[in-house]
Amino acid sequence: MKKFLLIILTLSIFITGIYANAQNTKLGDEFIYADVCDEELLKASAKLVELNILKGERIGDMYYLNPSSKVERILAICYINSALKINNKKTNHDNKLTFSDSENLSENLKNQAYISMDAKIIAGNRDDDNLLLNPYNYVTRSELYTMIYRAMGIKSDSDIKLNFIDANTIPDYSKICIKTLVKNNIISNNEGEYLHPNEPITKGEMILMLYELVKYNESSTVKTLSQRIKEEFYGKIVT
């Protein structure tokens, strides 16, 4: 009898563990978060987890994304570097390129900022002779769109009308970036909608943009490889 009860208890624990895991961290073979119900965000986050770009916060046996939280500038930089697979690059900078407001950052986070600057994803802000990173400021939509645009390396395209109700509030530095992302179907440009360009972007919104960045890089890599193969086989006749 005791042996029978032990077997039943063991099976119960095993099945409960599988159920909890399936409910909170898995959807089929994809990783999911306990606090995400939007299908598009689930798909994007699963892809980023698969590529080791994203993890989230673990509490017990469940993972949480906190999709409505605001994103600090330094964390957005880390995410973009990771999505581009440049987060482990080495950098060398003299005093002229030192951020004057980075004293409280760890060496690793400082390095991420300099990696991003080397890749021309960020430029920093000038205040007299000081170069500012503003690492703990929340990233606005305009700022993140600009960083994503630079990370993608897309050819600029200004020949497009922005239909957002608040298009006139878009900062000058990001107009060409947003227009180019709209042209490439990265940002929707529906008539009568608001962009809210100067409001902080949420983590969920940032992840959707990172997903677009990853997809673009994957398609670009395939295209580049295809072109290289054609050139190796056929020379310059086929382009």
Side-chain angles (χ1 to χ4, degrees), residues 57-186:
E57 181 181 6
R58 179 174 179 174
I59 303 176
D61 292 328
M62 295 182 286
Y63 285 87
Y64 295 86
L65 184 63
N66 300 313
S68 61
S69 61
K70 299 173 184 177
V71 184
E72 293 178 344
R73 182 175 172 84
I74 187 62
L75 292 182
I77 288 169
C78 290
Y79 275 114
I80 293 174
N81 288 352
S82 181
L84 293 175
K85 304 298 183 185
I86 61 173
N87 49 308
N88 292 320
K89 283 196 170 184
K90 301 295 182 181
T91 59
N92 294 307
H93 289 273
D94 56 31
N95 292 331
K96 293 180 180 179
L97 292 174
T98 300
F99 293 109
S100 60
D101 56 350
S102 63
E103 307 87 11
N104 296 325
L105 291 178
S106 67
E107 288 303 314
N108 179 62
L109 289 180
K110 287 180 185 177
N111 192 54
Q112 293 304 311
Y114 291 130
I115 288 172
S116 185
M117 174 172 275
D118 284 348
K120 301 188 185 305
I121 297 168
I122 63 170
N125 297 317
R126 289 286 180 181
D127 181 17
D128 295 329
D129 294 330
N130 296 320
L131 182 64
L132 303 177
L133 177 62
N134 298 317
Y136 299 118
N137 287 4
Y138 290 131
V139 177
T140 66
R141 287 185 172 88
S142 288
E143 290 172 337
L144 188 78
Y145 294 156
T146 300
M147 293 163 71
I148 293 293
Y149 158 80
R150 291 171 177 169
M152 286 181 166
I154 308 174
K155 182 180 179 181
S156 300
D157 194 331
S158 60
D159 187 24
I160 190 170
K161 178 185 177 182
L162 297 178
N163 297 322
F164 306 111
I165 295 175
D166 53 355
N168 63 330
T169 66
I170 297 174
D172 290 339
Y173 72 84
S174 66
K175 285 181 180 177
I176 186 66
C177 307
I178 292 173
K179 286 183 176 182
T180 303
L181 292 177
V182 165
K183 181 71 174 181
N184 286 271
N185 299 313
I186 307 299

Side-chain angles (χ1 to χ4, degrees), residues 10-73:
T10 302
L11 285 172
S12 176
I13 293 172
F14 179 72
I15 292 170
T16 301
I18 292 176
Y19 178 78
N21 189 52
Q23 288 295 102
N24 299 308
T25 61
K26 295 284 182 179
L27 179 61
D29 294 328
E30 292 184 342
F31 183 100
I32 66 172
Y33 291 96
D35 57 347
V36 176
C37 57
D38 180 81
E39 289 187 9
E40 188 178 2
L41 184 55
L42 280 174
K43 180 180 178 181
S45 60
K47 178 66 173 178
L48 298 188
V49 168
E50 176 190 336
L51 295 175
N52 201 31
I53 296 169
L54 182 67
K55 192 62 176 179
E57 181 181 6
R58 179 174 179 174
I59 303 176
D61 292 328
M62 295 182 286
Y63 285 87
Y64 295 86
L65 184 63
N66 300 313
S68 61
S69 61
K70 299 173 184 177
V71 184
E72 293 178 344
R73 182 175 172 84

Side-chain angles (χ1 to χ4, degrees), residues 1-15:
M1 184 67 176
K2 289 183 179 179
K3 185 176 181 180
F4 177 76
L5 290 175
L6 181 60
I7 292 173
I8 295 297
L9 180 59
T10 302
L11 285 172
S12 176
I13 293 172
F14 179 72
I15 292 170

